[in-house]
Amino acid sequence: MKKKIFVVLLVLVAVATLLSGCDLGESTNGLTTKATLETGAAASATSTPTKATAVVGTATLEPLAFQSKTTAGEIYQYLAPSIAYIDTPTGTGSGIVYAGGYVVTNAHVVWPFETVRVVLPDGSEYIDTPVVGTDLMVDLAVIGPIDTIVPGASFANLDDLQIGDTVYLIGYPGEGDAFPQPALTQGLVSLLRFWEKEGITYIQSDAAIAGGQSGGALVSSSGQIIGISGFSFSDVFALVAATQDLVDNIDALIAGGDPSGLAARNNILTGASLYRDTIELDNYWDSQTYVIDQPLDTEVQISVDGRNDVAMTLLDSYGDVGVTADEGIRGTETLVGTIDWSGPYFLIVEQYTEDSGTFSLESNVPLIPLNDPDDVLTIVPGTDTIGNIDYPGDMDVFLLSLERGQTVTITVDSIAIDGYVTVDYQGATENEIEWDDDSGYGLFALNASLEYTAPQTGIFYVVVEDATQYETGGYHLIIEEAN
């Protein structure tokens, strides 16, 4: 039987666990991770706020007269009041107060929520700050606006930034306080990397970076914000997107635009809920996903019935497996579990046969259907298709028509996920399925790329997923005729 990578992972993980600390969603080869949300004590602060919503701060900022020998302490005193602490039900991150009271951060910091808690160093708290927009391709989000007298930070160009220059990171790494102060780390510019597909320069530095610091500021030795932190590299380096390449995206999000072309996908918690559903799965790769957003300790019981071999998996928002149901090769499967995670869960229903199947589903808790706009799209050689891994464990299935003997190169280019691509077709044996993980190099050397020659004329499934099954975010799927 053919096996999905996802199925193999399920065997390895039996129950959901709450990840804490830094480097959540680390890639399988250890090359790169997002400097993601810090989970733990701070994440629970939203349930018992100690200050009122939208308290206006009283701190004032005097412009710092920047000089070539500005000290780290002076830079911190000048910029720290504009570095925001972001708290969600599943973790924490950092942000930068921008013009008009908007706060700029990473998309993965706020995902998948529509409102978040924001705290400034002066003690001001904004409990239900709306997420204005996200650019999932470049891992960018804007929230707000908040009512504050703290001035918006200005972003600078890289200009004459050189390898060996001193830089600073300001953010909230490993934070457990509900009303914290930002931390400062120092390092050198070790390398400048460029993501050609989106035209973004990334500043690589040995400044210490840890979970919770995503969305924080990278600052030059003269006190100018030159980057928004978001990734760690080889467990040693911070990899920071240059603000000069993000300003247009930020302004577009504030104006209500969609710079990525992926549209807003954070609204997964607002769909119409149901307790029963009829599921049509067309092939082996087809699946149906539902969102479960229930209080802690809620007992969940879900059953699905059909003639084909069907299975269910319940994942938390970090991709950890809560419980699975896959006992028989036909008939009814029943999933029973308890909600022990404060964020949303994802219920994935899939089958292990190539033929189409119809299934009836019943649940004791409301389910929100998640309809993936990337699935079953037709792609052709010579195109660059954008897509998004919408939730941990998501697999996007594209249809590619090829003639026998036709050869194409298929590449997944992304900074948000560790791309993994599979090419399959109806009736293929396990040995006839081709796949790739990291042959495409890319910014992190994690792009997937393979050259595929069609063994017959027909429709082929091109499946894109994250190799770790934990990360979410945008990607480019590039199909080219091989030379």
Side-chain angles (χ1 to χ4, degrees), residues 17-18 34 96 136 148 257 273 288 344 355 385 392 398 445 479 481:
T17 56
L18 178 64
K34 294 176 182 176
I96 306 169
L136 300 168
T148 179
S273 58
Q288 175 61 54
D355 298 330
T385 302
F398 299 88
I479 312 294
E481 292 277 7

Side-chain angles (χ1 to χ4, degrees), residues 102-273:
Y102 290 96
V103 178
V104 178
T105 185
N106 292 134
H108 74 263
V109 169
V110 300
W111 182 88
F113 302 102
E114 295 184 63
T115 63
V116 297
R117 173 178 177 260
V118 175
V119 174
L120 295 182
D122 66 2
S124 303
E125 182 186 41
Y126 310 88
I127 295 176
D128 293 313
T129 306
V131 176
V132 176
T134 55
D135 184 335
L136 300 168
M137 190 64 71
V138 299
D139 194 26
L140 182 69
V142 174
I143 59 181
I146 59 175
D147 183 10
T148 179
I149 62 172
V150 172
S154 59
F155 294 158
N157 294 330
L158 297 183
D159 293 332
D160 298 324
L161 187 71
Q162 300 290 324
I163 293 174
D165 286 354
T166 298
V167 288
Y168 306 94
L169 275 173
I170 307 178
Y172 296 86
E175 192 52 66
D177 190 346
F179 292 90
Q181 294 297 307
L184 176 73
T185 63
Q186 176 180 321
L188 299 176
V189 175
S190 60
L191 196 64
L192 296 177
R193 297 177 180 270
F194 186 68
W195 186 23
E196 184 176 356
K197 183 58 70 174
E198 290 291 330
I200 297 176
T201 298
Y202 285 84
I203 307 157
Q204 183 175 321
S205 170
D206 63 350
I209 188 169
Q213 205 157 351
S214 285
L218 183 73
V219 184
S220 71
S221 58
S222 63
Q224 296 177 300
I225 296 178
I226 56 175
I228 300 173
S229 62
F231 297 95
S232 64
F233 188 73
S234 298
D235 297 325
V236 175
F237 300 102
L239 201 62
V240 180
T243 52
Q244 68 180 21
D245 299 327
L246 296 178
V247 169
D248 288 345
N249 302 62
I250 293 169
D251 291 341
L253 290 174
I254 291 173
D258 178 25
S260 70
L262 291 168
R265 302 197 189 196
N266 273 37
N267 56 349
I268 62 173
L269 305 178
T270 57
S273 58

